[in-house]
Amino acid sequence: MAEETILSVVDLHTSFTTDKGEVKAVNGISFNLTAGKILGIVGESGSGKSVSAYSIMQILEKNGSIKSGQILYKGEDITKWPESKMRDFRGKRCSIIFQDPMTSLNPVFTIGYQLEEAIKLHTDRRGKEARDRAVEMLELVGVNEPEKRIKQYPFEFSGGMRQRVMIAMALACEPDILIADEPTTALDVTIQAQILELMKDLQAKLGMAIIMVTHDLGVIAQMADEIIVMYGGRVCERGTAEDIFYRPAHEYTKGLLRSIPSVDTMGQRLEPISGTPINLLNMPKGCAFCPRCDAAMKICLEQQPPETRTVDGHLAACWQAIRTEMDAGMVRVEQKA
Amino acid sequence: MDMNYKPNPEYLVEVNDLKMYFPVKTGLFGRTPLKAADGVSFAIRPGETLGLVGESGCGKTTVGRALIRLYKPTDGDIFFEGKRVDDKSIGGLRKDMQMVFQDPYSSLNPRMTVEDIIGEPLDVHKMYTSREDRRDQILNLMEMVGLNAEHATRYAHEFSGGQRQRIGIARALATKPKFIVCDEAVSALDVSIQAQVINMFEDLQKQLGVAYLFIAHDLLVVHHISHRIAVMYLGKLVETADSDELNANPVHPYTQSLLSAVPHPDPKTAKNSKRIILEGDVPSPLHMPSGCPFRTRCRFATEQCAKEMPQLTDRGNGHMVACWNK
């Protein structure tokens, strides 16, 4: 089966106007989302991972806007779409679930009402049909006794159950794309495991593409087919889960992997990344990571590294990685379009 | 309370049958006790780190707070260096027992400078001889946690999360405590910063010989930092063991599923490992199941589990488990 690209983000720039100046949250990221695959975007706070996701949905805060770049959904640039068309896009073609299932649901309406609202808005189903669909969706996401639960209010649901409801709501109109913004961060590990398992199951059943935004490397290792590592609003490195975890090329990715305790490094000292997180108001001229990088060279201060193929074929934007390639005899610096 | 309980002099902190109930209004007149901690016993040696793990609502924070008497326990005995911790003795003991909080944003007073935040415990316990001595001690503490001396006159909002947590740690260290309760002290930090703070906790322990009760929900972090780990479920300890032993041979079904649910940052183990996925949610602590609290989600539950709560029993080398079937 040919791999169909369902969504392409091309050189996206998103910034926010604040009292202290322009905050450039996303600085030219590009990626393709393949139908039926899970793309993981991982990064620390302020890396621009959530803002990238919100830019796709165009649900940025009032002071934020897409400055340049294209977001192509099945070949059409949705950044040019009017709001009325975008409304149709959200929910029907592309849905999002948020970190906090406590605040994403309206406390004064029943679960059923809120689910049906989404169904009525985007499909022709009305009345009993809409209700049946709501029950069917709750059943699909593993809520027991859906006929009874549908009449209950959000406070009667636990955190994990609420996140299930959010997933049911997001998938009720069978979107092509599901964006999950830190979907399990607020949940306990055993509940997290349930939700991740559910998301994988549903993906296999319904075949939508998922963009999984998270800071948790463990979650991403488990879920993603392809991973993008972000820092300071730029892409550091991208590749398959194996590329990123076993053959990291970017100094930031390497540092990140060294900082997490794992079974292999128990009893040893962790090797943290030095310094403090990036200040988006005061971005360095060269590589965004270079003020914290131990391997920084002169060129890192002055020029932004281009994304190049590493020795094993995935992409990284790091001058050190480029040097390694040159040492390995790969003088050709191929830039990604 | 058991007034005849004899604490073991080997331990720095000893907790025996700690109970902490909170009255919760149910209905118009009814009051039901919420049993946040129900018969918890453990001990910590000098210079040791005990990790306390469990899911939200299991009572781990309550235990930490009751330990340094931010809450007055409903029942049970707490000993510090063999002395009973009660209303009378706590005033003198606070100096030796400190706490680092989870949220570096709300645990620092925004109207105080860093110097005053770190200096406050020194003021309270009158631990300096002159203004210069106070200042020297503060600068010394700041250096210990990796803050620059020039930061002393700044306010907390001028710092990032990781740096704020350093300020909170410096404050806890000011009175030269022997024991610190770290309540989710690294949970709010980014991975790269988290590693810096974890290393600092370990360095400080080596330097100062301080013992930690390290409360967290991240099992990889707890495994890394702790010598021993205690697992809590709905107000009760279900298993305690040496850190590596617990991770290699978890015995209690809850510990087993908790460990298998941890997403490891390694795609191969993540995809191959067999997960034990627990069904359902944690029951409400207001309506605790009879007997073993875990039985409603347990694969091995039998009739006996519903009747009686199993006690922690030693399964060799101090590996304590509270389960009828394992």
Side-chain angles (χ1 to χ4, degrees):
Chain A
M1 203 174 78
E3 294 207 330
E4 182 200 354
T5 299
I6 191 155
L7 187 87
S8 319
V9 173
V10 185
D11 197 26
L12 180 75
H13 289 257
T14 303
S15 4
F16 294 88
T17 330
T18 67
D19 296 343
K20 287 174 186 159
E22 189 187 4
V23 174
K24 293 178 181 164
V26 176
N27 298 301
I29 74 157
S30 308
F31 61 83
N32 293 328
L33 179 66
T34 313
K37 285 274 157 77
I38 303 182
L39 173 74
I41 303 183
V42 65
E44 295 181 285
S45 20
S47 63
K49 55 191 192 307
S50 288
V51 175
S52 308
Y54 294 175
S55 299
I56 296 170
M57 292 288 272
Q58 295 183 31
I59 47 169
L60 296 161
E61 292 287 323
K62 281 209 175 64
N63 61 346
S65 62
I66 297 173
K67 290 284 174 227
S68 66
Q70 292 177 307
I71 299 169
L72 302 169
Y73 171 72
K74 293 188 173 163
E76 274 188 78
D77 187 359
I78 61 168
T79 58
K80 305 247 166 22
W81 282 8
E83 181 57 28
S84 57
K85 219 172 164 193
M86 268 316 287
R87 225 176 260 174
D88 196 43
F89 175 77
R90 297 183 201 121
K92 204 170 173 183
R93 318 261 172 87
C94 179
S95 280
I96 188 162
I97 49 175
F98 297 98
Q99 170 173 355
D100 191 355
M102 310 294 156
T103 53
S104 316
L105 289 165
N106 190 331
V108 301
F109 293 107
T110 61
I111 294 296
Y113 179 89
Q114 297 186 53
L115 261 166
E116 281 171 49
E117 189 185 24
I119 295 164
K120 284 176 188 160
L121 202 62
H122 294 296
T123 66
D124 298 332
R125 293 191 174 92
R126 291 290 176 277
K128 194 173 175 305
E129 262 185 83
R131 170 142 298 225
D132 288 347
R133 174 72 178 161
V135 171
E136 187 192 327
M137 285 314 295
L138 281 186
E139 208 168 351
L140 188 69
V141 296
V143 174
N144 292 329
E145 302 179 69
E147 278 94 356
K148 193 181 132 203
R149 297 290 258 174
I150 211 161
K151 295 186 195 110
Q152 293 183 329
Y153 289 88
F155 78 88
E156 295 170 87
F157 282 64
S158 66
M161 279 297 153
R162 281 183 226 197
Q163 199 58 292
R164 284 173 195 262
V165 172
M166 290 307 299
I167 294 173
M169 209 179 275
L171 298 180
C173 306
E174 293 174 5
D176 303 324
I177 305 163
L178 175 69
I179 300 176
D181 182 20
E182 305 264 10
T184 57
T185 307
L187 306 173
D188 282 314
V189 272
T190 58
I191 309 294
Q192 168 170 285
Q194 292 175 359
I195 297 289
L196 295 180
E197 201 72 7
L198 173 72
M199 286 178 70
K200 272 194 190 160
D201 270 4
L202 290 175
Q203 203 226 13
K205 262 186 216 157
L206 308 174
M208 71 277 182
I210 299 179
I211 300 179
M212 181 103 184
V213 178
T214 181
H215 71 279
D216 191 324
L217 287 154
V219 169
I220 219 93
Q222 223 182 94
M223 296 290 288
D225 298 307
E226 207 194 326
I227 297 175
I228 291 179
V229 183
M230 283 186 76
Y231 189 82
R234 298 192 192 118
V235 174
C236 293
E237 188 162 4
R238 66 177 90 210
T240 61
E242 279 79 16
D243 287 335
I244 300 294
F245 283 91
Y246 302 139
R247 300 178 288 275
H250 196 289
E251 289 300 318
Y252 175 63
T253 319
K254 288 183 195 166
L256 208 54
L257 290 171
R258 277 196 299 260
S259 344
I260 31 173
S262 74
V263 181
D264 307 328
T265 61
M266 283 306 154
Q268 294 166 28
R269 217 179 131 79
L270 294 176
E271 292 179 52
I273 300 172
S274 56
T276 52
I278 192 165
N279 178 2
L280 289 172
L281 281 165
N282 190 10
M283 288 275 282
K285 192 170 150 221
C287 171
F289 182 60
C290 104
R292 297 178 71 187
C293 183
D294 291 334
M297 303 178 287
K298 207 172 166 195
I299 190 170
C300 304
L301 286 166
E302 277 147 21
Q303 274 188 54
Q304 283 180 27
E307 269 195 73
T308 52
R309 291 243 167 250
T310 62
V311 184
D312 59 74
H314 72 282
L315 288 162
C318 178
W319 289 115
Q320 275 295 350
I322 292 172
R323 206 172 81 165
T324 318
E325 284 153 35
M326 288 182 160
D327 291 348
M330 288 177 59
V331 191
R332 171 181 58 111
V333 177
E334 173 198 345
Q335 198 165 344
K336 213 210 164 199
Chain B
M1 227 187 292
D2 179 4
M3 286 319 246
N4 299 320
Y5 188 83
K6 284 273 173 291
N8 187 337
E10 215 180 291
Y11 298 126
L12 180 73
V13 179
E14 193 168 349
V15 178
N16 176 43
D17 201 23
L18 178 73
K19 293 194 170 93
M20 183 72 228
Y21 299 167
F22 297 98
V24 174
K25 273 189 186 166
T26 45
L28 199 51
F29 302 108
R31 267 172 188 273
T32 316
L34 186 153
K35 298 178 177 175
D38 197 13
V40 173
S41 306
F42 59 84
I44 303 171
R45 289 190 176 83
E48 183 185 52
T49 305
L50 176 71
L52 187 58
V53 295
E55 295 179 281
S56 34
C58 74
K60 53 192 192 301
T61 295
T62 303
V63 168
R65 294 189 162 208
L67 218 58
I68 57 170
R69 227 173 167 81
L70 293 178
Y71 296 142
K72 197 175 167 190
T74 313
D75 196 10
D77 317 276
I78 299 165
F79 297 94
F80 185 79
E81 292 188 310
K83 279 195 291 278
R84 182 177 288 277
V85 178
D86 55 21
D87 283 341
K88 262 185 247 153
S89 66
I90 185 65
L93 291 175
R94 275 261 154 76
K95 215 168 70 171
D96 293 323
M97 308 163 91
Q98 289 286 320
M99 183 151 186
V100 177
F101 298 90
Q102 167 169 12
D103 185 358
Y105 291 83
S106 60
S107 59
L108 301 176
N109 187 336
R111 304 177 71 165
M112 284 165 80
T113 60
V114 170
E115 187 175 357
D116 288 333
I117 291 172
I118 301 174
E120 199 175 24
L122 298 173
D123 298 339
V124 171
H125 295 284
K126 303 194 177 53
M127 293 185 68
Y128 49 86
T129 49
S130 61
R131 297 302 299 173
E132 288 75 44
D133 182 31
R134 179 178 185 265
R135 174 129 184 116
D136 284 349
Q137 286 194 39
I138 291 169
L139 292 181
N140 202 355
L141 285 161
M142 287 179 68
E143 197 191 316
M144 223 188 272
V145 297
L147 291 167
N148 291 334
E150 68 209 48
H151 292 156
T153 51
R154 293 201 196 163
Y155 291 89
H157 73 88
E158 296 173 63
F159 295 91
S160 65
Q163 283 174 309
R164 283 182 214 216
Q165 204 56 299
R166 288 171 194 268
I167 300 171
I169 295 165
R171 175 176 62 185
L173 290 172
T175 58
K176 304 189 180 64
K178 291 172 186 147
F179 175 57
I180 300 180
V181 176
C182 308
D183 186 5
E184 302 272 9
V186 295
S187 311
L189 306 175
D190 270 318
V191 207
S192 65
I193 306 298
Q194 193 177 48
Q196 293 176 1
V197 177
I198 291 172
N199 277 349
M200 199 174 74
F201 272 120
E202 291 180 338
D203 292 345
L204 291 169
Q205 185 165 57
K206 269 185 214 129
Q207 259 176 49
L208 311 169
V210 50
Y212 300 124
L213 176 68
F214 199 88
I215 302 170
H217 64 272
D218 186 329
L219 286 138
L220 286 171
V221 169
V222 171
H223 183 190
H224 184 89
I225 202 167
S226 310
H227 300 107
R228 279 187 311 130
I229 297 177
V231 183
M232 221 173 150
Y233 187 80
L234 273 182
K236 293 193 166 76
L237 288 188
V238 295
E239 185 163 1
T240 58
D242 282 344
S243 193
D244 291 331
E245 160 73 12
L246 187 90
N247 276 275
N249 309 307
V251 174
H252 197 283
Y254 178 62
T255 317
Q256 287 176 352
S257 55
L258 199 61
L259 289 173
S260 83
V262 176
H264 284 279
D266 183 338
K268 271 191 196 129
T269 55
K271 276 168 189 150
N272 297 338
S273 65
K274 258 268 157 272
R275 255 161 231 294
I276 309 165
I277 297 211
L278 283 182
E279 303 261 317
D281 287 306
V282 184
S284 156
L286 279 174
H287 310 284
M288 284 255 237
S290 63
C292 172
F294 184 60
R295 71 175 169 86
T296 53
R297 297 170 82 192
C298 183
R299 296 177 293 158
F300 308 101
T302 57
E303 267 174 46
Q304 193 181 17
C305 304
K307 280 184 198 133
E308 218 183 326
M309 171 66 199
Q311 295 303 309
L312 279 174
T313 50
D314 199 329
R315 311 288 167 98
N317 292 329
H319 191 150
M320 312 278 278
V321 184
C323 184
W324 291 119
N325 303 313
K326 285 282 172 175

